[in-house]
Amino acid sequence: MGSILALENGLRMGSTIISRFSAQWTANFSDLQLMFVDLIMEAHSSVTPEPEASQRPWKTVVALMGGGTASVVPGDWQRLLRIAAGLHGVKLDIRLSPDAAKRLVVRQLRGSPPDGLLVWANEVRDPSAFIEPYLTARPGSYAEVLGMKNSVEPFPDYVAELLLHVEKISGVGRERAAQTKMTWALAAKRIESLEAPHFILTPRAKKSFPGNPYPDARRMLGFIEKLEQLAQLYSTSEGNLGQRLEDAAASRAQIEISLFDSSLTPPTIELDGNTYSAVPHVKVDDFKSPDKCGRIYFAIDSSRNRFIVDHIGLHDYG
């Protein structure tokens, strides 16, 4: 990824001189997206994300954001979010202060439901008040919260999380993925190959692979691979990521994790003479029916800088 500074007629009339080229390199596609967003933000404000004339129309995602005033989501933030969504062929329809016009917004979501819905958890009082009527009007569609309740994250983390959501909504790469059927037997081999000192799978986790009730083995495998990447970062940094683990998960692994689940009392894990509890979890899906709501529960061993995965599948340990 690079930017070029060129001067027309720099040497002579009709010629161009390139006076500067700055490049950044990465082997991580997620990092590439963020670098591209940062670069294009330097472009003139007239540059907006939109499909080419020959392309099919983009999918539309409504984002309910902001509290009582538009200043909660500055204009340059809104433009940045739209550019990020545009990378995946998604038009982001940002609607500010939805609580102030709740009836109207709900009526619009029911009457003309978009392809997806995102609700900013920290600025909207009750995200489910918008998500539930939307899913009633368009069952099976994508609806999630952006960020976490009562938690103000650095804005780049919201951008990283948005990229994760729009990638799922857009279906980029889905056709290629569909060419090879991913069964749980194949996924199990891939998941077990990730085991390392920093990433442990308990016997309970491995036992869940045959006949796993979570319906999309490929999707679950993708989240497991990203959790392993986060575990590797946690291990190499000796547990000092320079930011909260939840923030690092969103910005560097593009997954959403929570360290608590008040609704669950997981069984204990006995490993190397120590006892652990797998309460932290990856949110594979939210606001889905119980037979489609995925979770990965794991324990964090801070003394050995490793993650211990104990459950891969549906929301609970059942």
Side-chain angles (χ1 to χ4, degrees), residues 19-184:
S19 61
R20 187 182 71 208
F21 174 67
S22 60
Q24 301 179 67
W25 298 88
T26 178
N28 185 294
F29 180 71
S30 299
D31 290 343
L32 178 64
Q33 293 181 94
L34 294 173
M35 288 159 53
F36 185 82
V37 170
D38 288 340
L39 185 62
I40 204 170
M41 277 299 291
E42 299 176 9
H44 191 272
S45 59
S46 63
V47 176
T48 56
E50 57 187 14
E52 296 287 340
S54 59
Q55 281 188 333
R56 60 187 177 185
W58 285 0
K59 292 184 176 180
T60 298
V61 173
V62 168
L64 304 180
M65 308 184 71
T69 63
S71 61
V72 176
V73 189
D76 57 338
W77 284 17
Q78 295 180 46
R79 179 169 178 256
L80 180 57
L81 291 170
R82 291 191 179 100
I83 289 172
L87 291 178
H88 288 280
V90 169
K91 177 184 177 182
L92 194 66
D93 180 2
I94 298 175
R95 304 186 188 180
L96 302 175
S97 305
D99 286 326
K102 183 176 178 180
R103 290 185 180 180
L104 175 61
V105 173
V106 169
R107 186 165 66 248
Q108 291 171 339
L109 291 174
R110 283 175 172 162
S112 182
D115 297 291
L117 175 67
L118 297 174
V119 184
W120 197 354
N122 198 45
E123 296 292 342
V124 177
R125 284 193 294 270
D126 181 11
S128 64
F130 298 97
I131 291 175
E132 290 176 1
Y134 166 72
L135 291 177
T136 300
R138 189 165 179 165
S141 296
Y142 192 93
E144 289 284 358
V145 295
L146 185 64
M148 292 180 288
K149 197 72 174 175
N150 301 320
S151 176
V152 179
E153 316 298 335
F155 187 69
D157 289 354
Y158 288 116
V159 177
E161 186 181 344
L162 174 70
L163 285 168
L164 172 66
H165 290 304
V166 296
E167 183 177 356
K168 298 174 190 174
I169 295 169
S170 67
V172 171
R174 191 173 297 164
E175 295 82 2
R176 184 188 304 170
Q179 293 176 1
T180 305
K181 175 68 174 177
M182 176 62 70
T183 65
W184 268 106

Side-chain angles (χ1 to χ4, degrees), residues 3 10-12 30 57 99 106 120 145 161 171 185 201-203 233 245 249 270-271 280:
S3 60
L11 294 175
R12 59 186 177 277
S30 299
D99 286 326
V106 169
W120 197 354
V145 295
E161 186 181 344
L201 299 174
T202 68
L233 289 171
L245 185 61
E270 301 292 337
L271 184 64

